[in-house]
Amino acid sequence: MDYDKKFADALREIKHEGRYREFADIRRKCGNFPNAHRFNADEQHDIKVWCSNDYLGMGQNPNVISAMHNAIDTAGAGSGGTRNISGTTHYHVELEAELADLHGKEAALLFTSGYIANDASISMLVKLLPGCVIFSDEKNHASMIEGIRHGGGPKEIWRHNDLLHLEELLQGYDRDTPKIIAFESVYSMDGNISAIGDICDLAKKYGALTYLDEVHAVGLYGPRGGGIADRDGVLDKVDVIEGTLAKGFGIMGGYIAASADIVDSIRSFALGFIFTTSLAPAIVAGALASVRHLKVSQIERERHQERARTLKRRMKKAGIPVMDNPSHIVPVMVGDPVLCKSLTDALMERFNIYVQPINYPTVPRGTERIRLTPSPIHTDEDMDHLIDALNQLWGEMDLRRAA
């Protein structure tokens, strides 16, 4: 067996398809978001970041940075172990209490990432409920799909945001059959928003638990940043809420919030939680400061929504094919992986604008796109520069025809 040839062939195939992923070597400028340095060979270039998931710029918030410095000075660098073996610091305890309160739940549990939170939690819920059937929205994130696979139970895939189809599938099972409806609030590639309350009503009618991924909504929506369920006043209807600390809150890590028994069961049985070194105290302290800030401050959320609406409106006026949706997500359809990569390369090399191409398997083939993430700190001048660059490249590459 020529192992090296196998690996080389696999890489050659994805390069030929135009979906080989290249990492941009950047360093953000502290206190000057969305500006960053790009490192290319021996050169540095100033660039403008238009694809960060630090939606509100909280990773640059002075209070957050100060809290992280203080935690290092107080507790040192690392946590020292897993949560069970010396890795539960007081910062972790405080943050879990804040997150439970944010979502109106009895308890919360921290994970090292949102991906791990979904994978570990969903798989363990299925295993703790023998015969459990998962009803999964067809556009659920890869981490939810992996959790369902690792759970090993039966599953039903319902058409995206199609509640009639979901109910039709639910009707095929006895009420006493354990069931979990798994879905997201804001779908990050299209920007669609689910009808959380209506889905929860179906769950109650047919005896199902609800598992809601609020990753692209926590911090960004609701009077205290609790997500779409918070905004819509239906927190009490959702059984398990999963969120991240890496997007709206600007740091890293993931979590679930639910009843005390559900959280304790995941804590006690989920291998992805038990055998992982806990988040460093500085990271948890920064997230704690961010959550507390966004519980009381509306400025960032209001400005963020205004910036997203403004960018969409101006891009439509310029004839750029931005996809309509009710959220802060700003996807621009390209429809071809090679063109998508060429477009983002040109934005970086010629205009110092950093946007990452979104190709398969993140989105289906034929729906390749760029995904813009305006923040409260992006200015009108930043938008002018972006739209002028896109218009020029769109014409050069004949992308309107391709899209």
Side-chain angles (χ1 to χ4, degrees), residues 24-28 37-45:
D25 183 357
I26 69 171
R27 184 175 64 206
R28 300 204 295 177
H37 288 300
R38 178 202 179 198
F39 295 84
N40 185 24
D42 294 327
E43 298 179 343
Q44 292 186 37
H45 302 277

Side-chain angles (χ1 to χ4, degrees), residues 19 21 138-139 189-190 323 333-337 358-369:
R19 60 185 185 92
R21 296 170 186 239
E138 67 177 343
K139 290 196 174 182
M189 290 300 126
D190 293 340
M323 298 168 61
M333 186 61 67
V334 177
D336 179 274
I358 307 295
N359 293 333
Y360 178 84
T362 306
V363 295
R365 287 186 172 91
T367 68
E368 292 81 8
R369 67 198 67 177

Side-chain angles (χ1 to χ4, degrees), residues 219-378:
L220 307 174
Y221 296 88
R224 299 199 305 156
I228 298 295
D230 184 21
R231 184 198 71 176
D232 293 351
V234 294
L235 283 171
D236 59 315
K237 291 187 175 185
V238 184
D239 295 300
V240 183
I241 293 176
E242 185 268 347
T244 185
L245 303 166
K247 294 180 172 64
F249 295 122
I251 315 299
M252 71 169 291
Y255 65 89
I256 60 166
S259 70
D261 283 344
I262 288 177
V263 168
D264 201 15
S265 296
I266 301 301
R267 184 190 71 87
S268 299
F269 292 101
L271 301 184
F273 172 81
I274 293 171
F275 292 101
T276 300
T277 299
S278 67
L279 291 167
I283 290 171
V284 182
L288 180 61
S290 185
V291 171
R292 285 174 172 169
H293 176 86
L294 290 174
K295 277 185 175 181
V296 297
S297 176
Q298 303 299 328
I299 296 171
E300 292 84 1
R301 280 189 285 276
E302 291 172 358
R303 174 70 172 170
H304 180 237
Q305 290 293 320
E306 180 277 323
R307 293 283 80 188
R309 289 192 302 269
T310 298
L311 181 61
K312 288 177 182 179
R313 183 180 67 250
R314 295 181 65 179
M315 293 184 79
K316 288 177 184 177
K317 185 177 180 180
I320 296 169
V322 61
M323 298 168 61
D324 282 325
N325 64 60
S327 73
H328 62 282
I329 305 296
V330 186
V332 179
M333 186 61 67
V334 177
D336 179 274
V338 175
L339 282 174
C340 197
K341 180 68 166 58
S342 296
L343 174 66
T344 56
D345 284 350
L347 283 171
M348 179 75 94
E349 298 300 332
R350 292 168 52 184
F351 298 95
N352 294 319
I353 292 172
Y354 175 35
V355 181
Q356 195 70 15
I358 307 295
N359 293 333
Y360 178 84
T362 306
V363 295
R365 287 186 172 91
T367 68
E368 292 81 8
R369 67 198 67 177
I370 61 173
R371 178 179 171 275
L372 302 167
T373 55
S375 75
I377 313 165
H378 283 93

